[in-house]
Amino acid sequence: MKPYVDFHTHTFLKTHLNVDEIQNAKSPFTILDVDIPLNADQFAFNDVVDSQASFTQIVQGKGNLVVVSLFPVENAYTKATFIKLLKLLTKDLSKKLIQTIEKEQISYWEILMRELEHALKYQNTLHDVEDNGVKRQVSYKFIHSMDEFDAGRNDILHVILSIEGGHAFYENPQILNQNPANIINRIREFKTPTATRPRLSHITLAHHAQNRFANQAHAIPLDCAGKGGANPVGGYNPTGYGLTEEGKNFVRECLRETDIEKRILLDIKHLSVIARDDYYKLVAAEFPQTPLIATHMGVSGFSVRSAKYVKEGNLTDIVRGITEFTDKRCYKVHYNQIFAFELNRDTVCFNPWSINLYDDEIVKIIESGTSGGLIGLVMDERILGKTKSITNYHSPELFSKKTRDDRRPLLDAPLCVNGYLQGGVIEDDILDINTDPRNAHANGIYYFLNNWLHIVKIGGDEAWKSVCLGSDYDGLINALDIAPKANFIERFRQRLAEELPIIAAIKEVVLPASPEDLVDALLFDNAVDFLRKNWK
């Protein structure tokens, strides 16, 4: 049986956030069980704060290659309701670090270097891992090309680094006061890899909060965001417009390659709809051989351009209303449920949020570059469609009738019915999810299969080679019940193979090979083949 590859985890994040002084941080092999009174994490946090992808758990799940993303926590998080609650409930979070971030006393670059120092400290050190009652010693090492990857070694976990959020390159603690030239210089440090600057596979340009490079897609629900939504130094609410000129220069610097400097790919996850469109156009015009990647995604289930959201002054089947959000800089979009299929009393739907891929983009990614792009499927049940809230926030870049910098919104559609914001309150739809424990595992896996098979149905036969796992474990996600943590991947693999033919028949997708071979491609072959072609 083949091992598995994960294209997006945050293995170093929780052990680094859990201590005041980074030299006291525990090994990334440590399985953290965050101490919250009365086991409240199992009810309010669904174990999202505990380790999901420690290296021990990855090894137990039979992983031997993983892309770990370094992520400096954004200032908006310090205003978020769930972080404030965690600070009150547990000692397993560095209140000192959170406070310095909140008060802008530490730069995002310094936080990045802190996590990188932690990541480098324990590499090549043997750790005891117990797997099915058998103990063995395992180490991890950073690799700088796929020539260093040995799929047959089960005593070494191969690690590739990425960075999530262009804000990571801000070197001034005062968030709104940055020098663009210094940001470019910081990028260049990672384009000429050294022992202290391992080679990156990619950078995710945006994250949850506004930055100077691009508008982001909304992702943090209002009940979790707290005052972080309208944070003046970069909030969760999307208020920008596409890629900025500085963002385009950031992209150019990453994709530019010389005999000495390595190319760094850009991940489109978290970019707003127009920011993604701007990126596609820039790549097509200036770097046409560059593959597009989306590392930890779900799909919306429809085409952004053909759907039009609001057409000829009338609401479509997709959008049931648009209202102005409280800070008057973005719009609250109330979606109808995007139905996929029903099975065993489970109603499976897509998540229509703009953070997910539209059908148009699926084709674009699969056909990109010289040998095709790559889509990583996330394990976050909310992003995959198992969510009660189907309300999302958009900036005026998508719906406003006004132009900005002589650019019109992406969609040729009025802001809402008759061009006016709707008055009154529109209640959010509540998706009636079947919570019968007998179907809990199947329910979760149906959502994953629905997203995977939709990509194949839209993208054609080549899509079977273009999808991999990008779990986002340890990124504060509520993972699928079937595989809440990395050590459950073997069970996940088995259930995928069992359920794949059933869901494929429902979605009228023909399987070109055995379910087992297709699952192996998803969990191993596709990511490895992509990296061998594009990360030499």
Side-chain angles (χ1 to χ4, degrees):
M1 184 178 292
K2 293 181 180 180
Y4 85 88
V5 177
D6 194 337
F7 219 80
H8 189 86
T9 73
H10 287 282
T11 300
F12 302 116
L13 181 64
K14 290 175 181 174
T15 44
H16 128 72
L17 290 180
N18 139 290
V19 292
D20 292 343
E21 306 299 330
I22 195 61
Q23 61 267 26
N24 297 328
K26 296 178 180 178
S27 156
F29 280 87
T30 304
I31 301 177
L32 292 177
D33 183 6
V34 176
D35 183 22
I36 295 180
L38 304 177
N39 290 321
D41 58 325
Q42 296 182 24
F43 302 100
F45 296 101
N46 297 296
D47 285 327
V48 299
V49 294
D50 295 336
S51 289
Q52 295 172 322
S54 69
F55 286 151
T56 295
Q57 291 164 309
I58 291 172
V59 170
Q60 290 171 340
K62 305 299 185 291
N64 80 337
L65 173 62
V66 60
V67 181
V68 181
S69 189
L70 304 179
F71 161 58
V73 174
E74 292 144 302
N75 185 278
Y77 274 90
T78 66
K79 314 289 196 303
T81 304
F82 70 99
I83 292 295
K84 289 182 175 293
L85 190 57
L86 277 176
K87 284 171 63 178
L88 291 174
L89 290 176
T90 181
K91 297 179 180 178
D92 293 326
L93 177 67
S94 172
K95 296 177 179 60
K96 177 182 177 182
L97 178 60
I98 296 300
Q99 187 177 54
T100 58
I101 295 171
E102 182 174 19
K103 294 183 176 181
E104 297 183 71
Q105 294 172 340
I106 185 172
S107 72
Y108 289 141
W109 176 259
E110 289 174 291
I111 303 170
L112 178 71
M113 291 298 102
R114 171 189 155 110
E115 188 176 5
L116 179 58
E117 177 187 341
H118 171 50
L120 293 168
K121 178 178 179 180
Y122 291 99
Q123 68 169 328
N124 301 318
T125 303
L126 290 173
H127 298 265
D128 290 328
V129 175
E130 185 171 341
D131 185 12
N132 292 324
V134 178
K135 286 187 178 181
R136 56 192 174 98
Q137 290 194 314
V138 182
S139 63
Y140 70 92
K141 72 171 185 178
F142 295 110
I143 62 174
H144 299 84
S145 79
M146 287 302 285
D147 291 338
E148 301 174 41
F149 174 59
D150 184 351
R153 295 288 297 269
N154 66 2
D155 60 331
I156 294 178
L157 182 58
H158 306 81
V159 179
I160 299 172
L161 282 184
S162 69
I163 292 174
E164 186 156 27
H167 67 282
F169 296 89
Y170 293 7
E171 64 175 11
N172 190 331
Q174 302 303 306
I175 293 170
L176 299 180
N177 183 18
Q178 305 299 323
N179 185 327
N182 290 344
I183 289 173
I184 295 298
N185 289 334
R186 299 290 79 79
I187 296 171
R188 288 175 179 163
E189 289 187 25
F190 283 97
K191 295 187 70 174
T192 51
T194 65
T196 58
R197 295 288 186 276
R199 185 181 175 190
L200 302 178
S201 64
H202 62 269
I203 295 172
T204 309
L205 186 56
H207 195 240
H208 289 151
Q210 199 76 39
N211 70 33
R212 62 195 296 120
F213 310 114
N215 196 31
Q216 83 280 16
H218 186 262
I220 303 296
L222 187 62
D223 55 352
C224 293
K227 294 183 179 179
N231 189 21
V233 297
Y236 295 133
N237 298 339
T239 59
Y241 194 105
L243 291 183
T244 65
E245 284 305 311
E246 194 173 334
K248 291 175 182 178
N249 289 333
F250 189 110
V251 170
R252 293 184 179 106
E253 181 58 41
C254 288
L255 297 184
R256 183 180 58 80
E257 190 167 28
T258 69
D259 292 338
I260 298 174
E261 294 184 326
K262 299 288 187 180
R263 175 183 68 181
I264 302 174
L265 294 178
L266 273 297
D267 173 20
I268 68 165
K269 177 63 187 270
H270 293 295
L271 290 173
S272 72
V273 180
I274 287 191
R276 299 200 298 262
D277 196 55
D278 285 346
Y279 177 69
Y280 300 147
K281 290 173 181 175
L282 190 156
V283 169
E286 301 181 30
F287 303 94
Q289 294 183 323
T290 298
L292 302 174
I293 61 170
T295 64
H296 49 299
M297 303 299 299
V299 297
S300 67
F302 59 95
S303 167
V304 66
R305 292 184 184 274
S306 62
K308 297 290 187 186
Y309 287 102
V310 184
K311 189 175 183 180
E312 297 175 355
N314 296 308
L315 296 177
T316 67
D317 292 337
I318 295 172
V319 171
R320 53 192 282 269
I322 303 172
T323 53
E324 195 169 37
F325 190 49
T326 51
D327 75 357
K328 301 187 184 301
R329 294 183 300 166
C330 59
Y331 301 106
K332 188 174 183 180
V333 182
H334 307 260
Y335 289 99
N336 286 312
Q337 297 172 7
I338 312 297
F339 177 78
F341 63 86
E342 189 169 355
L343 180 64
N344 295 339
R345 296 176 294 139
D346 292 325
T347 300
V348 177
C349 297
F350 295 99
N351 184 334
W353 292 0
S354 64
I355 196 172
N356 281 344
L357 290 176
Y358 296 105
D359 291 355
D360 328 50
E361 300 177 285
I362 291 171
V363 176
K364 196 180 295 287
I365 293 169
I366 291 170
E367 295 179 350
S368 66
T370 56
S371 56
L374 190 68
I375 300 170
L377 274 181
V378 75
M379 294 295 281
D380 188 343
E381 63 176 25
R382 179 178 60 109
I383 295 300
L384 293 174
K386 189 180 177 185
T387 177
K388 290 186 176 182
S389 172
I390 50 176
T391 299
N392 197 211
Y393 301 97
H394 295 274
S395 76
E397 70 172 20
L398 193 61
F399 288 105
S400 177
K401 293 186 295 181
K402 299 178 182 179
T403 59
R404 180 166 176 175
D405 300 328
D406 296 322
R407 303 171 70 188
R408 294 200 63 80
L410 177 66
L411 302 181
D412 182 18
L415 176 60
C416 57
V417 175
N418 298 322
Y420 294 96
L421 291 169
Q422 292 181 308
V425 177
I426 299 178
E427 294 296 332
D428 294 344
D429 281 344
I430 300 297
L431 180 59
D432 186 17
I433 296 173
N434 181 3
T435 56
D436 187 330
R438 293 171 299 177
N439 291 333
H441 289 166
N443 181 282
I445 206 167
Y446 290 166
Y447 279 88
F448 187 94
L449 285 164
N450 178 50
N451 279 254
W452 180 18
L453 289 170
H454 184 80
I455 293 171
V456 172
K457 192 167 186 176
I458 296 300
D461 288 343
E462 285 301 308
W464 288 111
K465 304 174 186 177
S466 305
V467 186
C468 70
L469 178 67
S471 70
D472 202 18
Y473 281 142
D474 278 334
L476 296 177
I477 68 164
N478 186 10
L480 296 173
D481 293 337
I482 185 67
K485 298 170 184 178
N487 50 310
F488 288 84
I489 291 294
E490 281 299 281
R491 181 177 74 174
F492 181 59
R493 179 196 297 270
Q494 179 183 346
R495 289 297 301 276
L496 278 176
E498 291 172 357
E499 303 283 354
L500 177 58
I502 299 171
I503 309 304
I506 293 173
K507 294 185 71 69
E508 300 179 340
V509 174
V510 176
L511 302 184
S514 71
E516 291 76 15
D517 286 346
L518 293 172
V519 171
D520 278 349
L522 172 82
L523 295 180
F524 182 80
D525 297 329
N526 295 347
V528 170
D529 290 347
F530 178 85
L531 287 167
R532 289 197 189 281
K533 294 172 183 174
N534 297 287
W535 203 69
K536 300 176 182 179

